[in-house]
Amino acid sequence: MTRQLSYSKGDEIVTLLKSANILSNRGQAFVDTRTNTLIVTDLQERLTNTSDLIDTLDKPQPQVEIEARIVQTNKTYARALGVQWGFNGTVSPALGNTTGLAFPNSGTLSGGLAGGRAVNLPAPGGVTSAVGLTLGSVNGAFNLDVALTALEESGNGRLLSTPKVSTLNNVAAEMTQGIQIPIQTATNNTVTVSFKDAALTLKVTPQITAANTVIMQIALENATPDFGRQVNGIPPINTQRAITTVLVLDGQTTVIGGIYTSSNSNTRDQTPGLGSIPLLGWLFKRESITDSNTELLIFITPKIIKTS
């Protein structure tokens, strides 16, 4: 008996016939790999059973389309308050406010930091608001210059990746999209270059059940280079990964992963001692507050594509 197989592999059918004792002791099975034709020699009764088994197994398998949606949201908030102030005082016979002493009879006292400021603690970053105040005496013997600076910023970001792949039932599929980062290493005066993937990769093996559900073995990785923190020209790779097995109804969506991270920082710069004075301490310090939140969600949707 010869049967040309349409959807099954001849080697797999031969293995099944031998392991399941479909053939008799005198039976033999071969496959012509060029045409995927099964050749079986056996008793007529066993040939009938073999033919029935091939009719059952050699059928088209439905396909499964798997769509993943990776949603990453970022929220940032920053606030900073700062103060700058300086003064200038002069004692001079020309102003009529001498000390009454032979020495020192005149003198000048002013803020000693950059810009002539006694306290120079402006809000860091690009200041968006500032209020300045300058006070002075009529004769110019004493002048006071005060500047209050403030910065407040917030941001929201959203990153959406949607890899999609189709495969046969019980057949593994993989899809990758991204870049490769070259990494140089030097050994014994020999420079070699290797490449590290920074990509979105989806690996899945679906299994369709009789209840019209899909069991999926999923390995999903989202790796992105962070060029803002390069080391010797090589960026680190931020990675989110999920490896799991789920059972999902045809066309339904499930969440296979969720990561929420939050970071808060509070920075204070002040003049030693003076910044801790009650009520007046704000004249000698600056404060910065930064909050950031990141949330990652991974959605998976399988769709069974039935063949006619």
Side-chain angles (χ1 to χ4, degrees):
M1 180 188 74
T2 60
R3 286 284 298 270
Q4 186 174 19
L5 305 177
S6 299
Y7 306 102
S8 302
K9 294 182 179 179
D11 292 335
E12 296 177 354
I13 297 297
V14 169
T15 302
L16 179 62
L17 292 176
K18 293 179 179 180
S19 61
N21 294 324
I22 301 298
L23 301 177
S24 67
N25 294 333
R26 299 170 53 185
Q28 292 181 322
F30 308 93
V31 61
D32 177 25
T33 56
R34 182 177 61 87
T35 59
N36 198 34
T37 298
L38 186 66
I39 304 171
V40 181
T41 60
D42 205 343
L43 300 175
Q44 183 60 44
E45 179 183 352
R46 296 298 181 98
L47 290 178
T48 301
N49 295 336
T50 300
S51 179
D52 293 340
L53 179 62
I54 294 174
D55 291 339
T56 302
L57 297 180
D58 191 32
K59 292 182 179 180
Q61 292 294 308
Q63 297 186 79
V64 181
E65 179 187 83
I66 298 99
E67 179 180 358
R69 293 192 299 276
I70 304 174
V71 181
Q72 180 174 335
T73 60
N74 300 285
K75 296 181 181 180
T76 59
Y77 172 77
R79 186 186 68 187
L81 299 174
V83 61
Q84 296 169 283
W85 61 270
F87 63 90
N88 182 283
T90 303
V91 177
S92 171
L95 299 177
N97 60 346
T98 63
T99 63
L101 302 174
F103 180 85
N105 180 259
S106 63
T108 300
L109 179 65
S110 64
L113 295 180
R117 298 190 180 277
V119 176
N120 189 31
L121 295 172
V127 177
T128 58
S129 301
V131 176
L133 176 64
T134 302
L135 302 174
S137 61
V138 174
N139 60 0
F142 185 79
N143 297 289
L144 178 65
D145 181 17
V146 179
L148 301 177
T149 56
L151 169 68
E152 183 173 342
E153 61 181 6
S154 62
N156 294 285
R158 181 182 180 186
L159 175 64
L160 177 63
S161 302
T162 312
K164 184 186 297 185
V165 65
S166 297
T167 183
L168 288 173
N169 185 32
N170 290 312
V171 177
E174 178 179 346
M175 189 198 73
T176 301
Q177 180 181 7
I179 62 175
Q180 288 187 324
I181 299 175
I183 300 176
Q184 290 186 352
T185 55
T187 305
N188 297 327
N189 297 325
T190 301
V191 178
T192 59
V193 179
S194 59
F195 291 88
K196 175 67 175 178
D197 287 336
L200 175 63
T201 302
L202 174 63
K203 300 179 182 179
V204 61
T205 302
Q207 177 185 345
I208 302 174
T209 69
N212 209 39
T213 59
V214 182
I215 300 174
M216 293 179 291
Q217 298 178 359
I218 301 170
L220 191 147
E221 180 176 310
N222 186 28
T224 57
D226 187 354
F227 292 101
R229 296 186 296 167
Q230 298 184 47
V231 178
N232 296 328
I234 301 174
I237 298 176
N238 299 324
T239 302
Q240 295 93 30
R241 183 184 296 112
I243 300 176
T244 185
T245 301
V246 294
L247 174 65
V248 187
L249 290 173
D250 178 24
Q252 298 297 309
T253 300
T254 185
V255 181
I256 67 170
I259 301 174
Y260 180 82
T261 59
S262 177
S263 62
N264 304 287
S265 65
N266 192 334
T267 304
R268 174 182 294 180
D269 301 319
Q270 66 180 30
T271 303
L274 298 178
S276 301
I277 299 175
L279 299 179
L280 297 179
W282 64 273
L283 289 172
F284 303 94
K285 64 184 177 183
R286 127 183 104 188
E287 292 185 341
S288 300
I289 299 174
T290 303
D291 295 332
S292 63
N293 300 309
T294 301
E295 186 173 12
L296 175 69
L297 294 174
I298 302 173
F299 302 88
I300 293 289
T301 305
K303 296 180 181 178
I304 300 175
I305 305 174
K306 299 180 180 179
T307 58
S308 57

